[in-house]
Amino acid sequence: MKWIKGDFLHAGKAKDVYAVKNHSELVWMEFKDNLTAFNGKKKSSFKGKGQVNRDISSLVFRFLKKEKINNHWVADINDTGMICQKIKVVPLEVVVRNRLAGSTAKKFQISEGQSLSKSLVEFYYKKDELGDPFISSEQAIAFGFVSTKSEIEFLKEKALQVNEKLKYFFDAIGLELIDFKLEFGKGEDLKNQGNKPDEEGFLLGDEISCDSCRLWDKKTGEKKDKDRFRLDLGGVEESYRKVLECLEQKWIQEIKI
Ligand code: TMP
Ligand code: ASP
């Protein structure tokens, strides 16, 4: 299929979004080399980062599709493009935590790495200017970001299902999934692409990569994700590239869609 890039629609921190000519049901996501943290306050980049994140995200989305977790991935294009089903993004970041790290560890002054009696799902309001504040399920409904309690429950349940799949996916290359962030949208049925939204009408979107997951080496505990940049640990590019290389070695044959 020859996709043609259409009008520019939206600039994100790590991706730009374009229309796809003659396909109003699709968008063209272009992964950029930018690296940002703390809601854009800290900025950097490395050459090829867009390609690495597109490739990791593509592997993850194709793996999830195979595992019957519907998502917006349709096809990869060029080195840094991804054709996706157009969705109306819900302004919530859905975070799943298997161990405490990052903002929640800091907020409660609990030491990083503490295990949890069960995986935790948290919601954050997607608004950089406000620093993506924590939002309760009740607030998310009251403010109209989702319409019903059953939608919130559905997002929690779906995020936990994705968690089980992703833990397995990364464990296979020696990495422990500490936490990660998902975004969902409301999608329309897309014929023949296998991207049918779930019964509540949601489709998993955005990206899933070293930018949006915390991944620690199972043996040494070494951080392999964006915390290398957030915490000035160095070796960001090497780490991202190594994660991709290991994922490709392990999964590319099995995924093949
Ligand atoms: P946090 O500990 O900073 O709340 O982050 C939890 C997880 O969500 C972590 O894996 C990083 C990811 N994340 C994003 O992908 N984007 C964001 O804007 C934030 C705040 C976190
Ligand atoms: N995703 C946010 C940013 O790019 C926050 C973070 O990752 O720390 O600024």
Side-chain angles (χ1 to χ4, degrees):
M1 180 81 78
K2 185 149 176 26
W3 311 106
I4 301 167
K5 199 185 263 185
D7 293 339
F8 171 81
L9 298 177
H10 169 77
K13 293 193 293 288
K15 296 181 290 298
D16 287 336
V17 185
Y18 295 83
V20 178
K21 281 211 170 125
N22 305 319
H23 287 277
S24 59
E25 79 284 15
L26 300 176
V27 290
W28 178 312
M29 287 201 326
E30 193 63 47
F31 286 68
K32 302 191 282 193
D33 287 346
N34 298 352
L35 192 57
T36 71
F38 310 119
N39 302 307
K41 287 196 202 93
K42 182 168 176 170
K43 291 193 180 78
S44 184
S45 68
F46 68 82
K47 199 162 165 32
K49 190 253 185 183
Q51 180 166 11
V52 174
N53 269 18
R54 192 287 304 270
D55 287 350
I56 293 176
S57 282
S58 169
L59 281 171
V60 174
F61 283 134
R62 286 182 286 155
F63 170 77
L64 289 177
K65 261 193 166 190
K66 261 197 121 178
E67 296 288 315
K68 310 271 179 279
I69 305 267
N70 283 328
N71 59 74
H72 70 160
W73 184 88
V74 173
D76 294 339
I77 187 153
N78 304 336
D79 289 341
T80 52
M82 189 184 279
I83 304 295
C84 297
Q85 182 173 350
K86 189 191 277 178
I87 50 178
K88 194 168 179 305
V89 178
V90 177
L92 296 176
E93 301 197 334
V94 185
V95 169
V96 180
R97 299 183 192 274
N98 295 310
R99 282 181 191 269
L100 271 198
S103 66
T104 302
K106 192 169 170 209
K107 184 169 164 185
F108 294 100
Q109 295 281 294
I110 297 173
S111 56
E112 191 170 73
Q114 166 132 350
S115 51
L116 296 161
S117 57
K118 74 196 241 302
S119 302
L120 197 58
V121 182
E122 297 173 344
F123 296 97
Y124 292 85
Y125 175 42
K126 208 171 134 54
K127 192 93 174 162
D128 274 349
E129 305 90 287
L130 302 178
D132 292 351
F134 180 90
I135 180 168
S136 71
S137 303
E138 285 72 18
Q139 286 171 328
I141 299 166
F143 301 162
F145 300 144
V146 290
S147 356
T148 58
K149 193 161 187 282
S150 81
E151 286 199 344
I152 275 286
E153 291 308 318
F154 179 87
L155 290 178
K156 278 188 195 164
E157 186 55 40
K158 184 58 69 177
L160 289 172
Q161 283 170 17
V162 173
N163 185 37
E164 289 311 310
K165 303 294 180 194
L166 291 187
K167 279 199 291 190
Y168 174 72
F169 183 77
F170 287 112
D171 180 79
I173 61 158
L175 297 179
E176 183 177 348
L177 179 63
I178 303 301
D179 59 31
F180 60 96
K181 182 262 308 178
L182 299 175
E183 292 183 28
F184 292 86
K186 288 267 179 170
E188 286 163 28
D189 191 357
L190 182 62
K191 308 265 177 311
N192 306 322
Q193 301 285 3
N195 284 338
K196 212 170 174 319
D198 293 295
E199 56 271 33
E200 295 285 350
F202 289 113
L203 198 59
L204 177 60
D206 197 51
E207 71 175 274
I208 300 176
S209 67
C210 290
D211 275 8
S212 61
C213 301
R214 283 197 173 88
L215 298 163
W216 294 0
D217 185 295
K218 278 199 291 181
K219 291 207 185 93
T220 65
E222 195 182 10
K223 298 177 196 302
K224 302 290 185 187
D225 54 82
K226 193 156 86 170
D227 269 350
R228 299 208 69 79
F229 169 61
R230 291 191 191 96
L231 308 173
D232 296 318
L233 300 175
V236 184
E237 176 172 354
E238 293 76 1
S239 195
Y240 276 46
R241 288 193 188 279
K242 188 73 190 161
V243 170
L244 173 60
E245 187 191 316
C246 293
L247 287 176
E248 282 182 336
Q249 259 173 25
K250 168 65 194 161
W251 290 112
I252 215 146
Q253 290 305 322
E254 290 193 41
I255 290 170
K256 274 230 167 111
I257 54 165

